[in-house]
Amino acid sequence: MDTPFASGPAELFARIDDAAVANAAAALSEGVVLTTLDRAVNWARKNSIWPMSFGLACCAIEMMSMSASRFDIARFGAEVFRGSPRQSDLMIIAGRVSMKMAPVIRHLYQQMPEPKWVISMGACATSTGVFNNYALIPVNQVIPVDVFVPGCPPRPEQLIHALMMLQDKIQNEAGTIRQVLNLA
């Protein structure tokens, strides 16, 4: 039972195993990073998010202050607010969504290139907040939402935390390369 299933002496396999451990230790000491292509692409995606500025009410003031020097969203790679949906991959819905605005939001969401993500910011966007009437709807009834930010209005720190949660979600996505190559 001491003989391996493959042909060859047992000490040969021991040398191969020792070499694998030694090579991994050498690569670590040399500063070589070993990762998968999925993780590398997800790392690049999560650190280069371009949000679209889409403020509908008072939450938009907090969203704007998030990009100012006090909170500095540039640390997270999301400092470039885009005015066009074709140049952005994150839509932050900040404020009340009315029935008249819902088709506009859906149209802008459909114009965004893949992959695309959505953050619902504030109680009004999430559940119509204190303005619970016939004219307002939650944004998740119009487009799919990835992260919800509670509050009325939520602080910029909460939006930064939501961005960090979205980055974790992006980093842990599986099958990124299959999606990029249209094999999924």
Side-chain angles (χ1 to χ4, degrees):
M1 212 44 160
D2 291 335
T3 60
F5 293 118
S7 61
E11 58 272 358
L12 174 67
F13 295 108
R15 284 184 289 171
I16 291 172
D17 292 338
D18 292 342
V21 171
N23 287 342
L28 190 60
S29 68
E30 297 271 336
V32 176
V33 178
L34 302 175
T35 186
T36 63
L37 197 52
D38 268 352
R39 289 193 57 82
V41 169
N42 288 341
W43 176 81
R45 281 182 176 174
K46 83 170 194 164
N47 290 315
S48 63
I49 294 175
W50 286 3
M52 181 172 57
S53 54
F54 196 78
L56 296 169
C58 49
C59 291
I61 302 300
E62 302 295 325
M63 180 179 68
M64 289 179 234
S65 67
M66 178 192 63
S67 62
S69 61
R70 180 173 186 170
F71 300 103
D72 192 24
I73 196 171
R75 296 175 291 164
F76 303 99
E79 73 272 9
V80 182
F81 272 91
R82 296 295 183 179
S84 169
R86 292 187 178 103
Q87 298 174 347
S88 60
D89 53 7
L90 170 64
M91 180 185 280
I92 302 174
I93 304 293
R96 300 180 304 269
V97 178
S98 66
M99 295 292 271
K100 286 185 175 183
M101 189 56 72
V104 175
I105 291 173
R106 176 171 289 152
H107 185 70
L108 291 173
Y109 179 77
Q110 290 171 345
Q111 288 181 349
M112 291 171 61
E114 290 288 340
K116 52 190 168 187
W117 302 282
V118 177
I119 293 178
S120 174
M121 181 180 177
C124 293
T126 301
S127 64
T128 68
V130 297
F131 306 104
N132 193 5
N133 61 29
Y134 69 93
L136 302 179
I137 58 172
V139 72
N140 63 343
Q141 291 182 5
V142 180
I143 56 176
V145 176
D146 295 296
V147 180
F148 293 94
V149 183
C152 181
R155 296 275 308 146
E157 295 94 342
Q158 289 175 275
L159 187 55
I160 289 174
H161 180 68
L163 181 67
M164 291 169 58
M165 289 174 60
L166 182 65
Q167 286 179 328
D168 288 341
K169 180 179 180 177
I170 294 169
Q171 183 63 49
N172 295 325
E173 282 182 356
T176 304
I177 296 303
R178 293 182 60 82
Q179 291 173 356
V180 169
L181 298 175
N182 289 330
L183 298 175

